[in-house]
Amino acid sequence: MYFVDRSVAIIKPRQPFLDWLTSVAGDDMVDLTLDNLRADCTALLVPEYDEPEEAVAWVDERAEQLFRQELASWHEDEAAWPADRSLMVFWQWFDVEFHSLVLDSVDEPIENSPALDA
């Protein structure tokens, strides 16, 4: 195993995200629950931090981009996205869980590919 010079942020949708998603998806998501939605979430490698406030500040600086990526991963029609994607709304719609220790347990190189350009 190898230490990785990154930390992790896990973006977990909250009830307002689920409410929006079920309103735009109609019958396709009728059985989706918040627990289901939060069971497999986006995990981001973020810069290492000494204090949790540093990780929060990193997310704050990218909140609009992260918000767009989360919306796009579930519903591509931007016209259906909420108009207000401000920092305050981001934190109302998502919890972010931070972890400072990352270990790579695979003895193969990490392959990179571009993320969604949302």
Side-chain angles (χ1 to χ4, degrees):
M1 279 196 216
Y2 304 94
F3 286 99
V4 177
D5 64 344
R6 299 286 188 273
S7 297
V8 173
I10 301 171
I11 301 176
K12 295 186 170 193
R14 299 177 75 190
Q15 189 64 46
F17 184 88
L18 177 61
D19 294 344
W20 165 79
L21 183 57
T22 56
S23 75
V24 297
D27 293 339
D28 292 342
M29 302 279 179
V30 71
D31 293 330
L32 187 63
T33 68
L34 191 56
D35 286 341
N36 297 136
L37 195 57
R38 293 171 62 99
D40 185 17
C41 301
T42 302
L44 302 170
L45 292 178
V46 301
E48 288 181 294
Y49 60 87
D50 293 321
E51 300 294 327
E53 294 81 10
E54 295 173 52
V56 171
W58 189 92
V59 167
D60 283 351
E61 291 172 13
R62 292 155 184 82
E64 184 177 350
Q65 176 188 6
L66 297 172
F67 207 154
R68 293 175 59 85
Q69 286 177 336
E70 289 300 306
L71 295 169
S73 69
W74 285 92
H75 195 77
E76 293 180 0
D77 181 6
E78 292 184 35
W81 293 0
D84 186 357
R85 297 186 297 271
S86 64
L87 178 61
M88 183 177 74
V89 174
F90 174 84
W91 287 106
Q92 291 171 347
W93 282 42
F94 302 97
D95 289 323
V96 182
E97 189 176 284
F98 297 101
H99 301 275
S100 61
L101 179 63
V102 177
L103 296 172
D104 187 347
S105 63
V106 179
D107 285 333
E108 296 176 23
I110 294 175
E111 294 184 25
N112 293 312
S113 62
L116 294 174
D117 187 26

